[in-house]
Amino acid sequence: MRIALFADVHANLQALEACRADAARRGRDREAFLGDLVGYGADAAAVVDLAMAAVQDGAVSVRGNHDDAIDGESGYLNEMARAGVAHARATLNETQRAHLKHLPLIVRSAEACFVHGSADAPERFRYLDGIDAAKRCAAAAEAPITFVGHVHEQRLYFATLGERMHLLTPTPGIAIPVPRHRRCVAVVGSVGQPRDRNPMAAYALYDATRRTLTFHRVSYDHRAAAQRIRAAGLPESIAYRVEHGI
Amino acid sequence: MASELSFAPPRTLALVPGVVIDGFRLVSSIGEGGTAFLFRVEAAERPDPGFPLLMKLPRIGNGQPAESLLAFEMEAMILPTVQGRHLPRYVASRDITATPYLAMEWIDGTLLEDIARAAPLADDRVAALGAALADALHALHRQDVIHHDIKPANVLLRADGSAVLLDLGFAHHAHLPDLLAEERRYAAGSAPYMSPEQLNGSREDPRGDLFALGAVLYELSTGALPFGTPPTLRAMENRLWAAVVPPRARAATIAPWLQEIILRCLEPDPAVRYQSAAHVAFDLRHPDQVPLTTRAHHLRPPGLVTQYRRWRRLKRALADRGRLQAKPHTMAAHAPVLLVAIDTSHPEDPRHAALQAATRQLVSLHHESRVLAVSVVAPAEIDAAHPLESSASGQQLSHRLRLADWLAPTALPPDRLSLHVIESEDPATALLDIAGANHVDLIVLGAPRPDEAALAWWRSTASTVTARARCSVHVVRVGEGQGD
């Protein structure tokens, strides 16, 4: 059983299509969307349609803070993010907006937990930005492995001895063993807006049978995605980020 | 979070011959270490892999240090990812959710620990054993794995003289979780071989293994450990900055070149040590090519002032952790070995200038790159009228001088350069042999000229070497209108 994990798509249709195709080629059985389908990018409607269809086919999907801001509070977001939310509000239809509004904040089973920010207080969209945050998340997850987004970089936190956790910056393409008895929190990276100075789209593939997690980076036409953002009248800074992966 | 010990069920299975664990039947006990039981096993209810098998069963339960389970997990995680004959082949494993075990290839050989009992050993024996160990380390480092527990008890010598590294329990894999990242342990058997940076908690620098290799060489050639066997981690740390008693102070018969190699491995600052295991292997196999420094000639440890300076320098180096953070294979990539094939029998050949220019360019890319300059010449025919000039050694000398002159413009320091004159009727095979034996990363050689290509491209040296080399090959061609 292989689960493809997509986070922070941010209305970047080209990047999502490239990642989904890559995951399909690698034999994924299921998909999971870890929040922030919309915001920043130019193709919110198309991305939400795609995610809605995937959910119909059994995909997991949780709500991110940008998804939440469509029908909620967006005042706390920075100018760039507010522009993206405003664009999404203007382009999404009622069905799409209702879909985002009713997405769960967290999905968990005995085997895995899916959440946008952190499993402790998912509604607060905390950033998983260090060992301490990872420990709080792992403790609240009630599952051996937790998949999160929100932080736009690929990271794997894993338990060592007792309460201790350690951080691995994963190398794309390497299957990392994640044994059941060793709690892990995986930040899967951003599909639509990577920020590690590499514009390639990021996602991860979890093999629940072999208990391995592989982080992937996928080439796609990020210049075309940036052009879509400019053509939609969104701020130049968003296009620049997508072009340069920053 | 629960501690992992709570996941490990108490062992109910008696570990006696005949018992079957996950399809492997225990045949005989071959050892009982502090952290694991070792058994010869056979495939009973699973396909036979076709080679003898060994099973490691970690001790679990109350009273066992949790670190030993971490070490077991690390080995079970890393062993399947590494390849080559310098490690036992991985067969199967099971984690601590059931009776945990690790099944691997059983290899027939002699433990270096048993050989070391006869130390001090002769220089050539030490060099042969050390080169085999360095080959194995290089093979591991190239796969982004650092062993971190090199000692005679963890090295097995096969009948053919090659070394096998045992016990990856403390190893670090650059791309996998490091469960021991924060563990600072004192293991009595391992501490005497540990580098200062490793004692300081560094896990990501392969040069720590070269320090341990130096400690092993020291032990083999003197019969003593360079830092003794301090009783605690703290005592070990305090000993490390004190300079080592030079091997030649213990036994004056040890050759200066061997002392040079050993003390260079044992430099406390990793930046001053050898930068790759391949280089150590090379020097151990070519004593005449080892450039001797003051290290080679010390007969007593340096004075207190020098020791104090070394200590200051080391403390600074250890504080500057950035320098110690390269992945093993990148480290090897910064110290690549180039083999340049130079036809000294035809010094007037127009290709020499182009080959020299390419060599200069390539060596300027990496501060630590090394060059093996190789000339393959036809075996000398003794001319009865001039026996001295035409002797094999006379031919060797004249071609070595030509090689040295050829390389003079590159201004490479002696420790990055070695000269080899090989007599052979088959230059391609000779080049491939020397490249394979010395961990060469790139072969640089001239392309056939256009007039040669039409006739004999298929049998030219360049095409044979390119087709059969196990490393990259840089074929230098003189363009039209050049070299006339």
Side-chain angles (χ1 to χ4, degrees):
Chain A
M1 165 63 110
R2 291 178 203 160
I3 308 172
L5 303 145
F6 306 119
D8 300 278
V9 178
H10 285 300
N12 186 335
L13 181 64
Q14 289 92 337
L16 179 59
E17 284 177 337
C19 287
R20 290 187 87 201
D22 189 75
R25 194 169 55 76
R26 295 179 191 278
R28 64 106 181 91
D29 303 293
R30 284 187 75 185
E31 293 179 310
F33 294 86
L34 298 174
D36 281 1
L37 292 169
V38 303
Y40 297 124
D43 288 302
V47 166
V48 175
D49 278 346
L50 228 148
M52 280 164 64
V55 169
Q56 288 287 316
D57 292 339
V60 170
S61 188
V62 295
R63 197 186 333 148
N65 54 316
H66 287 252
D67 310 322
D68 197 59
I70 300 300
D71 269 299
E73 179 56 47
S74 62
Y76 72 97
L77 294 168
N78 67 32
E79 202 179 324
M80 229 192 300
R82 279 207 308 274
V85 168
H87 183 262
R89 279 176 182 158
T91 51
L92 294 176
N93 63 33
E94 279 311 310
T95 319
Q96 291 156 342
R97 287 175 71 141
H99 176 78
L100 292 180
K101 191 175 175 180
H102 293 108
L103 284 175
L105 282 165
I106 186 165
V107 170
R108 51 180 137 207
S109 71
E111 290 302 320
C113 175
F114 306 85
V115 64
H116 182 60
S118 173
D120 71 315
E123 71 288 353
R124 297 184 62 175
F125 303 113
R126 288 182 170 146
Y127 287 96
L128 210 99
D129 54 3
I131 302 282
D132 290 337
K135 284 183 191 170
R136 284 192 296 271
C137 177
E142 295 165 21
I145 188 161
T146 308
F147 301 106
V148 309
H150 204 27
V151 178
H152 288 209
E153 287 183 10
Q154 297 184 320
R155 297 275 182 269
L156 179 66
Y157 297 90
F158 56 93
T160 55
L161 262 192
E163 303 292 314
R164 279 192 250 172
M165 288 196 100
H166 204 73
L167 167 65
L168 174 74
T169 303
T171 307
I174 304 261
I176 302 167
V178 281
R180 198 176 190 288
H181 64 275
R182 218 160 262 302
R183 292 207 173 201
C184 290
V185 180
V187 187
V188 303
S190 170
V191 171
Q193 203 186 72
R195 292 181 189 163
D196 60 351
R197 302 191 172 273
N198 172 3
M200 289 167 80
Y203 81 99
L205 197 58
Y206 173 56
D207 188 325
T209 315
R210 292 188 184 158
R211 300 209 69 92
T212 60
L213 178 64
T214 311
F215 292 82
H216 289 291
R217 297 304 289 265
V218 181
S219 291
Y220 79 102
D221 194 346
H222 53 271
R223 287 182 193 84
Q227 279 312 323
R228 293 275 304 160
I229 289 166
R230 291 192 183 98
L234 284 156
E236 168 61 25
S237 49
I238 301 177
Y240 189 82
R241 291 195 91 155
V242 167
E243 256 170 358
H244 297 270
I246 53 175
Chain B
M1 245 173 295
S3 117
E4 42 277 284
L5 285 178
S6 66
F7 284 93
R11 175 136 41 211
T12 50
L13 215 52
L15 296 181
V16 291
V19 165
V20 175
I21 295 173
D22 206 15
F24 295 101
R25 181 180 298 113
L26 304 190
V27 176
S28 59
S29 167
I30 55 166
E32 200 173 305
T35 58
F37 301 91
L38 295 176
F39 278 88
R40 290 288 298 270
V41 297
E42 58 190 18
E45 295 151 21
R46 55 162 64 223
D48 187 346
F51 47 80
L53 299 175
L54 176 139
M55 182 181 274
K56 200 179 231 187
L57 297 125
R59 291 171 180 271
I60 50 174
N62 290 339
Q64 283 307 309
E67 290 80 7
S68 56
L69 266 180
L70 295 185
F72 167 77
E73 270 191 72
M74 288 298 284
E75 182 164 33
M77 178 163 61
I78 294 176
L79 194 60
T81 70
V82 287
Q83 272 122 43
R85 59 192 314 277
H86 297 296
L87 290 149
R89 281 177 278 185
Y90 169 85
V91 177
S93 68
R94 191 164 63 182
D95 71 23
I96 62 176
T97 44
T99 301
Y101 73 83
L102 171 60
M104 64 182 102
E105 179 186 11
W106 178 82
I107 298 171
D108 193 12
T110 313
L111 274 181
L112 187 55
E113 192 179 30
D114 294 327
I115 298 170
R117 278 190 241 284
L121 307 177
D123 290 358
D124 57 346
R125 180 101 167 99
V126 174
L129 292 165
L133 175 50
D135 286 346
L137 272 177
H138 189 63
L140 192 65
H141 291 172
R142 286 185 68 134
Q143 299 179 68
D144 272 337
V145 178
I146 307 168
H147 190 281
H148 277 317
D149 199 14
I150 292 298
K151 56 181 179 182
N154 282 342
V155 181
L156 189 77
L157 275 305
R158 292 183 197 259
D160 67 1
S162 64
V164 178
L165 303 175
L166 306 177
D167 198 349
L168 291 175
F170 297 102
H172 169 88
H173 190 302
H175 307 293
L176 296 178
D178 188 346
L179 304 176
L180 297 163
E182 289 162 37
E183 299 306 315
R184 294 192 69 199
R185 78 207 165 88
Y186 180 81
S190 306
Y193 303 90
M194 280 167 76
S195 66
E197 69 272 17
Q198 203 185 336
L199 287 166
N200 205 36
S202 159
R203 297 271 303 155
E204 295 170 351
D205 193 329
R207 294 172 294 186
D209 280 349
L210 304 188
F211 185 94
L213 169 59
V216 171
L217 291 171
Y218 190 104
E219 185 182 3
L220 294 175
S221 70
T222 66
L225 286 163
F227 306 98
T229 45
T232 63
L233 195 69
R234 170 72 48 196
M236 188 67 202
E237 279 176 316
N238 290 336
R239 290 292 293 277
L240 277 172
W241 62 267
V244 181
V245 176
R248 280 161 55 71
R250 294 183 186 269
T253 51
I254 295 169
W257 60 266
L258 185 54
Q259 171 156 314
E260 174 76 33
I261 296 171
I262 293 173
L263 293 183
R264 188 167 171 192
C265 286
L266 288 173
E267 282 288 347
D269 181 352
V272 189
R273 258 173 241 158
Y274 283 100
Q275 300 300 300
S276 74
H279 195 176
V280 185
F282 179 86
D283 278 6
L284 286 167
R285 290 200 173 97
H286 301 88
D288 55 323
Q289 304 263 7
V290 178
L292 303 182
T293 69
T294 52
R295 283 187 206 106
H297 304 294
H298 286 311
L299 286 177
R300 66 177 80 89
L304 280 176
V305 175
T306 315
Q307 291 201 31
Y308 175 71
R309 286 204 192 112
R310 276 164 61 117
W311 177 74
R312 285 268 307 266
R313 213 170 49 222
L314 175 61
K315 284 284 172 192
R316 272 201 297 272
L318 292 179
D320 180 13
R321 290 292 294 274
R323 290 204 299 166
L324 309 176
Q325 300 286 332
K327 293 202 191 298
H329 82 273
T330 24
M331 194 64 84
H334 284 300
V337 183
L338 275 61
L339 185 160
V340 185
I342 302 159
D343 181 2
T344 47
S345 302
H346 301 94
E348 70 298 336
D349 193 296
R351 284 170 287 201
H352 281 297
L355 201 56
Q356 271 171 318
T359 306
R360 265 202 307 277
Q361 258 176 16
L362 290 166
V363 297
S364 69
L365 294 175
H366 302 284
H367 293 309
E368 296 290 343
S369 61
R370 288 186 299 124
V371 170
L372 272 60
V374 181
S375 175
V376 183
V377 298
E381 282 172 28
I382 310 294
D383 177 345
H386 306 280
L388 265 180
E389 290 73 11
S390 68
S391 70
S393 60
Q395 158 155 315
Q396 280 275 340
L397 184 62
S398 84
H399 284 283
R400 277 180 73 93
L401 290 172
R402 287 183 202 174
L403 280 178
D405 287 344
W406 195 98
L407 283 147
T410 61
L412 276 167
D415 66 327
R416 291 177 55 193
L417 178 65
S418 61
L419 311 176
H420 308 260
V421 178
I422 299 167
E423 297 188 356
S424 169
E425 299 284 8
D426 180 357
T429 304
L431 290 170
L432 289 164
D433 286 349
I434 187 170
N438 292 289
H439 308 287
V440 165
D441 298 294
L442 178 65
I443 298 173
V444 185
L445 79 179
R449 284 179 298 195
D451 54 325
E452 295 170 333
L455 289 172
W457 165 245
W458 62 275
R459 56 184 168 136
S460 76
T461 302
S463 70
T464 309
V465 169
T466 309
R468 286 173 44 204
R470 298 180 67 187
C471 63
S472 299
V473 180
H474 188 92
V475 182
V476 177
R477 191 177 298 284
V478 179
E480 221 171 298
Q482 292 174 28
D484 294 325

